Amino acid sequence: MPRTRSLAWSELKIGVMAVAALALTAILVIAVGGASGFAWERYELKTNFANVQGLKSGAIVRVAGVEVGKVAKVELAGSGVDVTLSIKKDNQSRVTTESFASIGAMSLLGEPLIDVSPSSTGTPLKDGDVIKARPPAAQISDVAATANEGIVQATALLKDIREGKGSLGKLFTDDALYREVNAFVASANGVVASVNRGQGTLGKLTKDSKAYDELQLALTNLREVTRKINAGEGSLGQLLKDDKLAKSLTATSGNFEQISGRLMRNDNTAGKLLTEKELYDRLNSTVARVDDLTKNLNSGQGTAGQLLHNKEMYDNMNSAAKELKELIAAIKLDPKKYLNVRVSIF
């Protein structure tokens, strides 16, 4: 009997130790490999999506790209889907009322997961609180539809090119246009070759150091002129920098505006000349008559015209004036003689 009791106690101790080892192993596996940790180390948040895109319970929950928990539950709720998130309490300060939950993926074709945006503002969410959901990005089917549409458009474009439609299609199908483009490319190559040989203005500029130095000198002079203008030197610099000159120009502009205003007010001769048609017509008629008089003089018409063009008449008048001058001089020398002559005549 004692031996039987001793054997039973030994077997019991072995069983208890085996169970304890299994329990310890399970705890170690959960502690080391489990992302969510123990139940007392987690808290739950809820959110709602219109479409979870195949999200399942056990999916990864990330905060700022770091795995911090799992999806505990996914269930339909009316027209949407309620999702319960189990997150480590260590991250509770990072998930606040300003955070958002969105559906992402490990890769383009990977399983969906939940991404939570961290926030340093707002109030940290507590167990059972609702985190705001951000609408999911485009699904793979949407991307495929967009890609398919792009392929269709590319196919239509290639078809148009083959049929010679558009500039690119004509370039591929029109021999004349191809030859023109080829000739243009050849001309461009010729220009480049000429420049490389130092021919022409651009070629000399790239090859001739003297031309380069002259251009550099011109740029230096231009820079110096600009500096002087900015420094207020010279007439142009004074115009830009001198307040007195600016005020003088402003005053001149004001005077010009006053003169223009007076001309437009029609209260003076110049203004009336600009605005009254009757005065303009009279002045125009006077100018026309002066022009006709000048033409008559130039053509030798009238006494004044003959005087200007007839040398004989000019000489006669000159001779008469000379004789009159001599007569006046003789009278001044002997007035009695000429007075007696006048008395005897009468």
Side-chain angles (χ1 to χ4, degrees):
M1 259 329 262
R3 184 176 179 182
T4 303
R5 288 180 181 177
S6 175
L7 182 60
W9 176 244
S10 298
E11 292 176 352
L12 181 61
K13 287 193 295 183
I14 293 173
V16 170
M17 292 180 63
V19 170
L22 291 174
L24 182 60
T25 302
I27 293 173
L28 290 175
V29 169
I30 295 174
V32 175
S36 299
F38 298 108
W40 59 85
E41 295 178 339
R42 302 189 304 269
Y43 73 105
E44 292 185 348
L45 298 177
K46 295 183 178 181
T47 187
N48 182 274
F49 294 99
N51 187 343
V52 295
Q53 302 180 11
L55 183 72
K56 298 178 181 179
S57 298
I60 296 173
V61 177
R62 300 188 304 190
V63 173
V66 178
E67 184 177 344
V68 296
K70 300 286 185 180
V71 174
K73 188 185 299 183
V74 179
E75 56 186 359
L76 292 172
S79 60
V81 180
D82 285 338
V83 178
T84 303
L85 312 179
S86 178
I87 303 175
K88 288 183 179 180
K89 290 184 178 181
D90 296 343
N91 302 279
Q92 192 167 8
S93 61
R94 300 182 180 89
V95 183
T96 69
T97 53
E98 300 299 324
S99 298
F100 288 89
S102 60
I103 297 177
M106 293 292 292
S107 61
L108 184 61
L109 300 176
E111 289 290 330
L113 51 79
I114 296 294
D115 276 319
V116 177
S117 61
S119 177
S120 59
T121 59
T123 304
L125 296 176
K126 299 177 181 179
D127 186 53
D129 287 346
V130 176
I131 183 173
K132 292 177 288 187
R134 181 172 292 166
Q139 301 184 32
I140 300 300
S141 58
D142 297 334
V143 175
T146 304
N148 185 51
E149 183 179 355
I151 293 172
V152 170
Q153 293 177 355
T155 303
L157 178 61
L158 291 175
K159 182 180 179 181
D160 291 340
I161 291 174
R162 291 193 186 99
E163 294 176 354
K165 296 180 180 179
S167 301
L168 190 59
K170 290 181 179 179
L171 182 62
F172 277 94
T173 58
D174 191 344
D175 293 338
L177 181 60
Y178 171 77
R179 287 193 295 270
E180 290 178 1
V181 173
N182 198 23
F184 174 77
V185 173
S187 299
N189 290 333
V191 171
V192 173
S194 298
V195 171
N196 290 331
R197 288 195 299 268
Q199 298 177 354
T201 303
L202 189 59
K204 290 181 179 179
L205 184 62
T206 55
K207 294 292 184 178
D208 190 354
S209 59
K210 183 178 179 180
Y212 172 79
D213 294 339
E214 291 178 353
L215 178 60
Q216 187 68 22
L217 179 61
L219 293 175
T220 302
N221 293 336
L222 180 60
R223 191 181 299 113
E224 181 64 18
V225 170
T226 305
R227 185 195 64 77
K228 289 183 178 180
I229 292 175
N230 291 330
E233 300 178 9
S235 301
L236 189 56
Q238 291 289 328
L239 181 62
L240 294 176
K241 296 291 185 178
D242 192 352
D243 293 337
K244 293 182 179 179
L245 183 58
K247 292 178 181 178
S248 177
L249 289 175
T250 302
T252 302
S253 177
N255 294 334
F256 181 74
E257 289 180 0
Q258 292 179 359
I259 294 172
S260 300
R262 292 185 61 187
L263 290 175
M264 297 305 296
R265 285 197 301 270
N266 193 18
D267 59 356
N268 52 74
T269 304
K272 291 181 179 179
L273 182 62
L274 291 175
T275 58
E276 290 189 4
K277 188 176 185 304
E278 181 181 357
L279 181 60
Y280 169 78
D281 292 339
R282 291 173 60 188
L283 181 61
N284 194 27
S285 176
T286 303
V287 172
R289 286 198 296 270
V290 172
D291 188 38
D292 292 338
L293 178 60
T294 305
K295 289 181 179 179
N296 292 334
L297 290 175
N298 290 331
S299 62
Q301 298 179 13
T303 304
Q306 289 292 326
L307 183 61
L308 290 175
H309 292 85
N310 193 336
K311 189 175 184 304
E312 182 180 357
M313 184 177 179
Y314 171 78
D315 292 339
N316 290 336
M317 290 188 66
N318 194 24
S319 177
K322 184 177 181 182
E323 290 177 358
L324 180 60
K325 184 177 181 182
E326 290 176 353
L327 178 60
I328 293 172
I331 292 173
K332 287 181 179 180
L333 292 175
D334 192 0
K336 293 181 178 182
K337 177 181 178 180
Y338 289 96
L339 289 174
N340 293 333
V341 172
R342 182 179 178 186
V343 172
S344 62
I345 292 173
F346 286 99

